[in-house]
Amino acid sequence: MKLDWEAAGVTDVGRVRRNDEDAYLVDTDRGLFAVADGVGGSRAGEVASRLAVDTAAEVLAEAVLAGAPDDVPGLIARMFAKANAAIVERAASEAALGQMATTLVLLYLDRASGGAWIAHCGDSRVYRWRGGALERLTRDHSFAEELARAGGGGVSVRAQSPFGHVLTRCLGRQDSSPDIRDIDAIPGDRFLLCCDGLTDMIPENDLGNLLGPRLSPAESGRRLIDGANAAGGKDNITAVVVDIAAG
Ligand code: CA
């Protein structure tokens, strides 16, 4: 089925941090949407997250110029590999950027085939809102989620343990491999890509309530940011909202 879409992204520094180290990409023409949550102190996180989304966009632009991409998982794997290489290279060349790293989550939609793929590295997430229900489509690459998956204490580990937020994979560090999967997208679906600055502040039940009403993607994104700030805004907050329509 041919698809079309409308999308918007919004990022906010939150109420505690001085800099916004998140970055996002909304490439409506090429169907690529991404969120990156950078870490590394001073301004390094900003550099890492920006390099991640810019590199993903560049890899896609080159592929599209060369013709319609047929091996989408291979293309997405290249986005992550090139983004990681760019971050590692830049970190090696500037001492102040030595500790930088970033998450990267993306959604890629193919207009003609109606195909949809998601990929992530780190703890930024993709949700799908469909028929009044919110479904998380990604599993965090974090210590807390690995423990929960192994049966070691559930979601509360993240809140209680000082290591709960530690990432087991991210770009710029040792394990930078993405999880890539194809998913289905149908008219009426709404996708949310976001960072932990949103999901740490807003429980998933409330996320659904904020995302559900038929507002534009830009208005919905703004509501999410306002909700996270009202709940404390302890970290940078970024959301990309993508509404799927028939092509
Ligand atoms: Ca964050």
Side-chain angles (χ1 to χ4, degrees):
M1 184 196 293
K2 285 192 177 182
L3 296 180
D4 203 357
W5 45 81
E6 187 191 338
V10 53
T11 186
D12 190 275
V13 70
R15 297 177 61 189
V16 174
R17 302 284 177 95
R18 287 230 180 100
N19 296 326
D20 189 349
E21 296 190 293
D22 292 349
Y24 70 86
L25 171 75
V26 173
D27 185 341
T28 303
D29 282 354
R30 298 192 186 92
L32 183 64
F33 309 93
V35 166
D37 177 351
V39 294
S42 67
R43 307 185 77 79
E46 287 167 65
V47 175
S49 61
R50 179 48 53 195
L51 270 174
V53 298
D54 285 354
T55 306
E58 276 165 31
V59 169
L60 178 61
E62 280 167 23
V64 168
L65 271 183
D70 47 2
D71 172 18
V72 173
L75 172 69
I76 292 173
R78 222 156 56 236
M79 292 177 192
F80 280 81
K82 281 204 160 185
N84 184 60
I87 291 164
V88 168
E89 208 171 286
R90 185 77 187 275
S93 73
E94 269 180 68
L97 303 178
Q99 292 303 309
M100 72 175 173
T102 186
T103 71
L104 178 62
V105 63
L106 61 83
L107 167 69
Y108 176 63
L109 300 167
D110 181 34
R111 221 177 234 104
S113 71
W117 291 263
I118 58 171
H120 78 295
C121 182
D123 65 355
S124 298
R125 297 178 178 175
V126 183
Y127 289 89
R128 180 174 54 207
W129 173 258
R130 174 184 286 175
L134 186 72
E135 185 186 0
R136 172 142 74 104
L137 301 181
T138 50
R139 284 174 157 182
D140 298 348
H141 300 138
S142 68
F143 185 72
E145 186 130 342
E146 306 281 352
L147 259 189
R149 226 179 299 170
V155 181
S156 60
V157 172
R158 183 181 169 99
Q160 286 164 9
S161 162
F163 304 111
H165 281 77
V166 172
L167 299 180
T168 51
R169 296 191 218 172
C170 60
L171 300 183
R173 300 268 163 81
Q174 222 156 33
D175 188 349
S176 60
S177 57
D179 287 344
I180 303 170
R181 60 185 269 226
D182 61 329
I183 55 165
D184 72 316
I186 56 174
D189 283 352
R190 164 170 275 189
F191 288 92
L192 167 67
L193 284 72
C194 62
C195 66
D196 64 348
L198 183 71
T199 50
D200 279 352
M201 292 292 107
I202 304 180
E204 286 189 357
N205 282 346
D206 297 339
L207 260 192
N209 294 336
L210 288 168
L211 207 56
R214 293 228 154 257
L215 299 166
S216 72
E219 288 168 322
S220 289
R222 198 64 242 174
R223 279 189 75 178
L224 293 168
I225 302 286
D226 291 346
N229 273 326
K234 290 186 180 152
D235 195 359
N236 306 145
I237 312 150
T238 301
V240 170
V241 177
V242 185
D243 280 350
I244 307 295

